[in-house]
Amino acid sequence: MRFTVFDANGDMLATNEYFSIGGGFVVNERTQLAHGENVYYRTTKPDPPAAGDTTPADKSSGSTSATETVQMDERTQQDLVTASLPFRTGNDLVQLCNHESLSIAEVVFLNELQWRSREEVISAAYRIWNVMDDSIKRGCLSTSVKLPGRLNVNRRAPRLYQNLMRGFYSPPDQDMLSGPHNSAISDGTAAPFTRPSILETSLTMMQRNELNGVFRKKQRSRRPHLPHLDYLSVYAIAVNEENAAGGRVVTAPTNGAAGVIPAVLKYYLEFLSEDPSRDILEFLFTASAIGMLYKRGASISAAEMGCQGEVGVACSMSAAAFTAVMGGTPAQVENAAEIGMEHNLGLTCDPVDGLVQIPCIERNALGAVKAVTAAQLALQGDGSHRVSLDQVIETMRQTGQDMMSKYKETSQGGLAVNVPVC
């Protein structure tokens, strides 16, 4: 995005360009960093003048204001504080955990204490989860029918949620409560199945006889009931429909991939957790550690990596965190994170009409399901595996660099050019 200021005569006074690189980070030419660095730790003070250089600073061009100087000094002081347990790679992280007999979440928590108090860290984590949970609730209970934009996309989370809640306590005016009184809904016998006449088909009687007793006669379609998948899907869809409608979500790791982590954590808390307050912290801190590795080793921006850098990273973070709260070792957590990304490598970002709706909303649901599957695979092993997380992160980075720009958030390729807008 380019900001330009003009005077009353239309003459340009100043201009600057800013780039969103994902994960809530915005940079310009001055703050852009080389691969592998983290903007959090960038030194902001200018280099000291060379010996004998008495040239005064040019105050007329690009000089830093007093307020900016104070802010930069404060940021520098923060940067001078180092993590108590630093790590830069997945291998570093696992070795650190093993050496200190700590979980990944505990490593992240102790590092955070270098900047904030124990109470502040815990409170901030709960606040993040509350926003996530609220975005799920608003998405599930929304009364809006359509999402904004020309695609005319229907909201699906409210209806999916109603279907899941059928039989649970609900307001008496809900249409879904009238279901049992409608035979077409309750028993599926409204339209009995009738075979076409023999004259209308090309099958012989011998062929029909061969089918007898082999397949179950499908008199009606069965309603699939897979709670494991249904709840993960509706939670993720709810969050991303809120994002598409301009609602409040947590950038985790990006807005376009904001549904995966809340969906997996919500699913765990609702159906598996025995200590929600502790599990929230374990989940979020573990996920953040994996997110740091991707941010430092590659990118979490679809404009740089395609959707592998957004939903792929969210899937990897969620798989790791789910494994952790399920009691996995640091090695199993790292394995789950690797599985979550390995099978998202090459995922393109091709939003139709430039809107974060198609295919983004459904993709988050699939990312959540894939995260739980990755965690289950990792938990069945002992943590040893052929491909490491560091290797898959580097592979993602190289794949993103090689990917054509039309598949990286530009809406110039893929579904964006094959799905009609009107």
Side-chain angles (χ1 to χ4, degrees):
M1 181 177 291
R2 180 183 296 115
F3 290 91
T4 306
V5 180
F6 299 92
D7 63 15
N9 298 323
D11 295 325
M12 185 178 71
L13 299 177
T15 185
N16 207 337
E17 292 182 344
Y18 295 88
F19 304 88
S20 171
I21 60 172
F25 295 100
V26 177
V27 301
N28 59 16
E29 186 176 356
R30 290 179 58 199
T31 59
Q32 190 172 9
L33 303 174
H35 158 66
E37 293 301 320
N38 189 312
V39 293
Y40 280 126
Y41 306 118
R42 180 176 186 273
T43 302
T44 53
K45 282 192 173 182
D47 295 332
D53 185 1
T54 57
T55 306
D58 184 1
K59 297 183 180 181
S60 63
S61 59
S63 60
T64 306
S65 68
T67 302
E68 289 176 332
T69 301
V70 171
Q71 292 175 344
M72 292 169 67
D73 288 341
E74 291 176 351
R75 184 58 168 272
T76 301
Q77 291 303 314
Q78 292 179 358
D79 293 348
L80 291 176
V81 179
T82 59
S84 59
L85 298 167
F87 59 90
R88 295 191 64 84
T89 67
N91 184 58
D92 290 345
L93 181 57
V94 173
Q95 288 188 357
L96 180 62
C97 291
N98 293 336
H99 183 267
E100 301 294 341
S101 298
L102 296 171
S103 70
I104 291 176
E106 289 171 333
V107 169
V108 173
F109 182 73
L110 290 175
N111 284 340
E112 287 294 322
L113 294 181
Q114 295 293 99
W115 287 271
R116 302 169 185 83
S117 70
R118 181 176 186 272
E119 292 72 22
E120 288 175 328
V121 173
I122 294 174
S123 176
Y126 285 144
R127 186 166 62 251
I128 289 172
W129 165 242
N130 287 335
V131 175
M132 288 180 172
D133 192 35
D134 187 58
S135 65
I136 294 174
K137 179 180 179 180
R138 284 185 284 105
C140 288
L141 301 182
S142 174
T143 57
S144 301
V145 178
K146 301 284 185 181
L147 293 174
R150 299 187 299 170
L151 297 181
N152 202 33
V153 174
N154 288 322
R155 276 185 181 257
R156 287 186 292 173
R159 184 59 182 170
L160 290 172
Y161 185 70
Q162 285 183 9
N163 289 340
L164 287 174
M165 292 296 104
R166 182 175 286 126
F168 290 82
Y169 295 112
S170 303
D173 59 346
Q174 291 284 342
D175 292 339
M176 66 178 186
L177 293 184
S178 63
H181 305 291
N182 185 335
S183 61
I185 296 176
S186 61
D187 58 21
T189 59
F193 178 81
T194 57
R195 284 193 177 278
S197 168
I198 296 297
L199 296 177
E200 298 173 2
T201 73
S202 59
L203 294 180
T204 65
M205 288 301 298
M206 182 175 295
Q207 288 174 310
R208 291 187 178 281
N209 290 334
E210 292 291 345
L211 295 175
N212 287 338
V214 179
F215 301 102
R216 182 176 58 84
K217 301 303 180 185
K218 298 180 177 62
Q219 297 298 318
R220 61 185 177 89
S221 61
R222 301 178 63 197
R223 179 181 179 272
H225 185 62
L226 302 171
H228 173 83
L229 302 180
D230 291 345
Y231 281 98
L232 284 168
S233 297
V234 72
Y235 294 154
I237 289 173
V239 174
N240 283 87
E241 286 181 346
E242 278 299 292
N243 177 61
R248 189 185 188 201
V249 299
V250 176
T251 304
T254 65
N255 281 10
V260 181
I261 291 175
V264 177
L265 177 51
K266 178 74 169 177
Y267 173 79
Y268 179 81
L269 294 176
E270 293 291 338
F271 297 101
L272 299 170
S273 177
E274 296 179 353
D275 191 349
S277 60
R278 294 178 186 271
D279 288 336
I280 290 171
L281 300 178
E282 180 91 16
F283 193 101
L284 293 179
F285 291 149
T286 303
S288 67
I290 304 303
M292 293 176 200
L293 297 177
Y294 282 100
K295 186 68 181 68
R296 294 174 181 174
S299 172
I300 56 173
S301 169
E304 291 183 303
M305 296 287 114
C307 199
Q308 60 174 358
E310 297 206 14
V311 170
V313 171
C315 176
S316 181
M317 294 168 66
S318 300
F322 191 85
T323 303
V325 293
M326 289 292 288
T329 65
Q332 289 174 318
V333 170
E334 188 259 0
N335 187 12
E338 183 278 323
I339 295 171
M341 172 52 71
E342 182 179 342
H343 305 289
N344 278 297
L345 289 173
L347 192 61
T348 62
C349 178
D350 50 355
V352 178
D353 202 31
L355 299 174
V356 191
Q357 296 179 10
I358 300 175
C360 317
I361 296 174
E362 284 183 355
R363 188 166 287 175
N364 275 256
L366 271 293
V369 173
K370 190 180 293 186
V372 173
T373 303
Q376 290 175 318
L377 287 173
L379 287 167
Q380 294 300 316
D382 60 2
S384 59
H385 49 288
R386 184 65 180 83
V387 181
S388 71
L389 177 59
D390 294 329
Q391 290 169 339
V392 86
I393 291 175
E394 177 58 20
T395 302
M396 188 197 84
R397 185 188 70 83
Q398 294 177 11
T399 303
Q401 286 186 335
D402 294 339
M403 189 181 293
M404 298 176 66
S405 61
K406 69 179 182 178
Y407 296 117
K408 295 193 286 189
E409 210 176 41
T410 61
S411 294
Q412 296 177 345
L415 284 175
V417 298
N418 288 295
V419 177
V421 173
C422 55

